[in-house]
Amino acid sequence: MTLLVDTSVWSLALRRDAQASEPEVQYLKDALFGSEVVVTTGLILQELLQGFSGSRAQAQIVERFSALPLLLPDRDDHINAAILRNACRRAGVQIGTVDALLAQLCIRHEMMLLTTDKDFTYAAKHCPLRIWSL
């Protein structure tokens, strides 16, 4: 199984001030040690880099993420993400532009999303997005 890990999980896993106890973080650690294929996209990398200050922290993130396959959205991904976002909005679910694109990438590439962001859970009720759960 291929796993796209959302910024919400990476942020918890990379924090230095406390040991993360969330099951999503433990699953990420297991996945990185070979139980799953973990991929990322430029949007997730960018969000992480924007959330961590200091050149040393940013350099460590860039180095760690260089080992992960990088998915690049194409024109159809952007079009289908807009369609997905509009369908969610019609159903009363607000999902951001970036989150809609991440959901679309998961759907297109038949990946599971590892996230702690409940917006994805709500969106998954209106599209074929697969969310990891215990």
Side-chain angles (χ1 to χ4, degrees):
M1 161 102 18
T2 304
L3 189 67
L4 181 66
V5 181
D6 181 42
T7 308
S8 62
V9 177
W10 283 115
S11 294
L12 291 169
L14 296 173
R15 283 180 30 203
R16 293 177 184 229
D17 58 340
Q19 182 70 19
S21 61
E22 291 80 5
E24 292 85 358
V25 174
Q26 185 56 52
Y27 192 78
L28 170 58
K29 289 177 183 178
D30 293 343
L32 289 170
F33 284 105
S35 67
E36 307 283 349
V37 174
V38 177
V39 301
T40 195
T41 189
L43 293 167
I44 292 169
L45 177 58
Q46 181 179 340
E47 286 182 330
L48 276 173
L49 291 172
Q50 292 170 175
F52 283 82
S53 61
S55 59
R56 184 172 179 204
Q58 290 182 347
Q60 288 175 340
I61 291 169
V62 170
E63 181 182 337
R64 289 176 180 169
F65 271 65
S66 68
L68 300 176
L70 185 71
L71 286 178
L72 300 175
D74 65 16
R75 181 184 313 263
D76 286 340
D77 289 319
H78 290 281
I79 292 167
N80 289 322
I83 293 167
L84 184 152
R85 186 171 187 265
N86 290 339
C88 286
R89 188 171 355 125
R90 281 192 302 275
V93 174
Q94 292 296 325
I95 183 170
T97 300
V98 170
D99 290 350
L101 184 56
L102 295 178
Q104 169 55 33
L105 287 171
C106 286
I107 293 166
R108 174 180 165 209
H109 294 281
E110 299 179 350
M111 298 181 296
M112 186 166 304
L113 180 65
L114 182 62
T115 185
T116 60
D117 185 341
K118 297 299 180 207
D119 288 346
F120 287 110
T121 304
Y122 303 134
K125 295 177 182 177
H126 305 284
C127 65
L129 175 62
R130 294 183 304 152
I131 307 283
W132 179 86
S133 64
L134 284 173

